[in-house]
Amino acid sequence: MDMPDHGGHGGHGDAPPMCAMNMALNWSTDNVCVLFDFWRVTSTLSLVLTCAAVFALGYGYELSRARVRAWELADAGLARADTPLVGGGRRRRWTRSVLYAALVGYSYALMLIFMTYNGFLMLAVVAGAAVGHYAFSTDAAGNVRGANCH
């Protein structure tokens, strides 16, 4: 039995293939979506470029954590030195909360990339975070920041 034409809607062959949704470790390079529907791994070149971008995201996360921590330490010194100004403490708390929220969102985005269960992307996240931790884990006083969730 033939299916009728649906009034010029076009065939379903026009739509891009669906993103691969794997629930087990895989090394696929075919139609892996990364965070967004438009960020797809479809070839070896796109895999290499995506791994480089994911590495940079992992590295950038560690850089961001280090910068926020440095700001917090500097701000803690300023807060003690300041005379109590109306709203000054509240502004600092809001700023710290916004920075914290940004880091949590960033860490969850990396977690979502990891949860593609694509071995190449998982290694890129871990490698970027490791190199970033090596580069930024020691503060100006020589204290080494430990590993934690976010």
Side-chain angles (χ1 to χ4, degrees), residues 106-128:
Y106 198 159
S107 70
Y108 285 159
L110 288 173
M111 178 198 65
L112 289 172
I113 293 171
F114 203 89
M115 288 180 64
T116 62
Y117 296 106
N118 183 286
F120 298 112
L121 299 182
M122 293 167 79
L123 289 174
V125 169
V126 170

Side-chain angles (χ1 to χ4, degrees), residues 27-31 40-52 120-121:
W27 299 91
S28 176
T29 59
D30 186 32
N31 216 26
R40 292 178 186 248
V41 173
T42 57
S43 66
T44 303
L45 177 62
S46 66
L47 174 68
V48 170
L49 293 174
T50 294
C51 285
F120 298 112
L121 299 182

Side-chain angles (χ1 to χ4, degrees), residues 69-143:
R69 180 72 179 143
W71 177 84
E72 286 175 336
L73 291 172
D75 185 57
L78 288 175
R80 282 190 289 260
D82 278 351
T83 58
L85 299 173
V86 176
R90 187 174 300 145
R91 188 176 316 125
R92 281 191 181 96
R93 287 181 64 194
W94 274 111
T95 302
R96 288 181 76 164
S97 294
V98 168
L99 291 172
Y100 176 78
L103 284 177
V104 168
Y106 198 159
S107 70
Y108 285 159
L110 288 173
M111 178 198 65
L112 289 172
I113 293 171
F114 203 89
M115 288 180 64
T116 62
Y117 296 106
N118 183 286
F120 298 112
L121 299 182
M122 293 167 79
L123 289 174
V125 169
V126 170
V131 172
H133 183 77
Y134 178 81
F136 305 112
S137 65
T138 305
D139 64 17
N143 301 316

